[in-house]
Amino acid sequence: MQTYLLHYPATKHVDIYLNDINGTFRGKRIAVGDLYSAAKGCYFPQSVYSMDREGKVVCTAADHQVLDEPDRICLPVKGTLRPSAYDPHENAQLLLSMQDASGAPYALEPRVILENVVRRFHHHGLYPVIAPEIEFYLIDQQAQAMRSQGCFHMAVPSTYAPFIERLEEMAAAQNLPLTGIVSEAEPAQFELNLRHSHQVVEVCENVLALRRLTSVIANEFGYKANFMAKPFSQLAGNGLHFHISLNDRQGDNLFASPAQELNEMTRLCLAGLLHLMPASLAIMAPGVNAFRRLRKNLDEPVFSSWGYNTRSAALRIPCSTEENRRIEYRLAGADANPYLVMATILTGMLYGLENIDGDSEEDILRAAPPLPLFQHQAIAVFQECPYLLDSLGQAFSRQWIHSKLEELTLFEGIVTQEETAISF
């Protein structure tokens, strides 16, 4: 804090916040003079982790721990005191992490869930290395129509230069390792690339911070940054892709192998990911809209199982040198919670390493299980996957299932304008 305030002596306020299960920032603004007391802990209701996307607390009638909304102490997360996108010279932001009544990390917090899964890898001497890519649409709210520019169009940085320069400037100020802003094929669609790192939990925090930062900077320039999985019917959706490899204690890539001759470690991880993928979709696609991105029509998926250097694969082996061999996981929507996405991906890899032998590995890689194409199907499969439920935590899994079924029920009760237009 002292170092930060030396760099930003005009700071007046600090936004202290938690990331809920949907990746939404929940918190409050305090005066900078209260920052030192906040460092010792402050209180937020436990029900923050039982909220739906609209901020409504969702729980069963028997869940008194949520209904009573008890406060729990929340402590700052080291390294997350950053200038805010809102007037950064006078405002800062700081991430908190909740503890339960016994002082242990709170089991429903997505950050804690990911920390627990990563710890299992470290116990085996394995160190995941990840690099995220986040897609979004930059919508000019004054424009009549969006014009297509095509992938990697070089004129786009000039067209959006003020926005891009401001985003890069603020990303650097927030210590977010933004390595590239890529123009996608659709009109005004972009991809943000973050540097690969073995600090898995920190990377996922950076995804959420960058998503929020992008939205704030876009508003400053009269745009709206849209991270919906499928914001437009006839255009491509927005994905949250993760490139993943595994290092040993010496920092060597355990996936290192020729592209067409994947080693056993890579193949086992691929098989585990494929085996748990049907259940994993309940996390990767957290709402009805996300499933629109995953299918061409009612019975045809967009993504196949796995493949070399093909973007139609759910699990893609990208072009790279042998020592940089990795898996790209392409199913998650850009609006998914990166902590939960990565916890689920890593759980799939663990399943492959712990439970799959050579014979079943070949069967899975040859014919991956079909994926659910609707949310209620994915939730049903998720409920019947004890390995994934245990890995994410039974308490969290129950809350997630209940919350998503409530959201789905609400959605299915909405009568759309299209229905009204064709009524008799």
Side-chain angles (χ1 to χ4, degrees):
M1 291 188 299
Q2 291 171 345
T3 301
Y4 179 87
L5 293 176
L6 282 174
H7 284 89
Y8 294 91
T11 300
K12 295 180 180 179
H13 305 103
V14 182
D15 295 330
I16 56 175
Y17 67 95
L18 301 158
N19 287 318
D20 70 11
I21 64 173
N22 294 299
T24 303
F25 283 45
R26 305 282 181 189
K28 62 183 179 181
R29 174 164 288 188
I30 62 173
V32 69
D34 295 326
L35 184 59
Y36 288 94
S37 60
K40 300 175 183 177
C42 55
Y43 290 89
F44 279 97
Q46 182 176 294
S47 59
V48 164
Y49 294 108
S50 299
M51 290 181 176
D52 62 16
R53 290 181 178 272
E54 296 182 353
K56 176 186 174 184
V57 176
V58 179
C59 64
T60 63
D63 194 347
H64 296 290
Q65 278 295 306
V66 175
L67 287 172
D68 294 342
E69 297 198 72
D71 284 343
R72 299 296 180 215
I73 194 165
C74 302
L75 298 174
V77 175
K78 183 179 178 180
T80 63
L81 181 58
R82 297 166 166 156
S84 171
Y86 298 100
D87 196 351
H89 295 291
E90 294 191 355
N91 300 312
Q93 63 186 53
L94 177 66
L95 175 65
L96 306 177
S97 185
M98 184 176 287
Q99 296 183 350
D100 64 19
S102 69
Y106 186 53
L108 266 65
E109 182 176 341
R111 181 184 180 88
V112 171
I113 293 169
L114 177 55
E115 286 175 338
N116 292 338
V117 178
V118 170
R119 196 175 296 117
R120 292 168 63 190
F121 275 88
H122 292 176
H123 178 74
H124 292 296
L126 302 173
Y127 297 84
V129 176
I130 67 171
E133 301 169 345
I134 321 153
E135 295 172 332
F136 71 100
Y137 281 90
L138 191 62
I139 301 169
D140 187 342
Q141 301 184 72
Q142 304 300 318
Q144 296 299 311
M146 296 186 299
R147 295 172 56 188
S148 178
Q149 69 271 347
C151 281
F152 311 111
H153 191 255
M154 295 302 293
V156 170
S158 299
T159 306
Y160 296 96
F163 163 77
I164 290 174
E165 289 173 3
R166 177 64 174 159
L167 180 58
E168 290 175 333
E169 175 191 351
M170 278 306 304
Q174 291 194 344
N175 199 28
L176 302 177
L178 179 63
T179 61
I181 303 176
V182 181
S183 173
E184 290 290 305
E186 301 291 6
Q189 188 184 32
F190 297 88
E191 179 182 89
L192 304 174
N193 301 149
L194 288 169
R195 184 178 300 115
H196 67 277
S197 171
H198 67 281
Q199 300 291 343
V200 172
V201 179
E202 181 181 304
V203 170
C204 292
E205 156 61 18
N206 288 342
V207 169
L208 288 174
L210 184 57
R211 202 164 72 185
R212 182 171 190 256
L213 176 64
T214 303
S215 296
V216 172
I217 301 299
N219 286 337
E220 288 182 6
F221 288 88
Y223 301 124
K224 177 179 175 58
N226 192 320
F227 288 90
M228 283 179 65
K230 185 70 171 177
F232 305 107
S233 299
Q234 304 304 320
L235 301 180
N238 291 320
L240 171 59
H241 305 158
F242 277 101
H243 292 250
I244 316 138
S245 57
L246 284 180
N247 283 1
D248 60 17
R249 287 190 172 94
Q250 288 71 45
D252 295 323
N253 182 7
L254 296 172
F255 285 178
S257 58
Q260 303 297 325
E261 300 176 19
L262 299 179
N263 63 25
E264 187 66 6
M265 179 73 77
T266 313
R267 292 174 63 82
L268 286 173
C269 287
L270 278 172
L273 289 167
L274 289 169
H275 182 79
L276 291 194
M277 195 173 284
S280 299
L281 278 188
I283 302 295
M284 304 296 161
V288 170
N289 178 262
F291 281 87
R292 301 191 196 283
R293 171 181 167 267
L294 297 176
R295 59 177 187 256
K296 297 177 182 177
N297 49 51
L298 292 182
D299 58 3
E300 185 180 3
V302 170
F303 298 101
S304 58
S305 59
W306 75 281
Y308 297 102
N309 194 26
T310 172
R311 284 177 168 79
S312 64
L315 302 178
R316 172 177 173 251
I317 308 299
C319 294
S320 72
T321 58
E322 290 189 19
E323 60 270 23
N324 290 313
R325 188 70 57 225
R326 62 192 184 274
I327 299 168
E328 181 187 9
Y329 197 105
R330 298 175 56 81
L331 281 185
D335 54 358
N337 188 321
Y339 290 123
L340 299 178
V341 168
M342 184 46 56
T344 304
I345 291 172
L346 293 179
T347 297
M349 294 169 66
L350 277 173
Y351 184 89
L353 296 174
E354 294 177 350
N355 295 280
I356 293 179
D357 57 28
D359 293 336
S360 54
E361 168 206 301
E362 285 294 334
D363 291 340
I364 295 171
L365 294 180
R366 190 182 306 112
L371 300 181
L373 295 180
F374 296 89
Q375 188 178 20
H376 67 277
Q377 296 171 342
I379 293 173
V381 177
F382 179 70
Q383 287 177 298
E384 300 300 322
C385 185
Y387 189 91
L388 183 53
L389 299 179
D390 289 341
S391 183
L392 300 181
Q394 289 291 336
F396 166 80
S397 298
R398 285 193 299 272
Q399 173 62 34
W400 183 264
I401 291 167
H402 181 74
S403 176
K404 295 305 166 183
L405 288 176
E406 286 280 312
E407 289 179 13
L408 184 58
T409 298
L410 179 63
F411 176 84
E412 291 181 341
I414 297 172
V415 178
T416 66
Q417 291 182 352
E418 287 76 7
E419 291 172 275
T420 304
I422 62 173
S423 61
F424 293 100

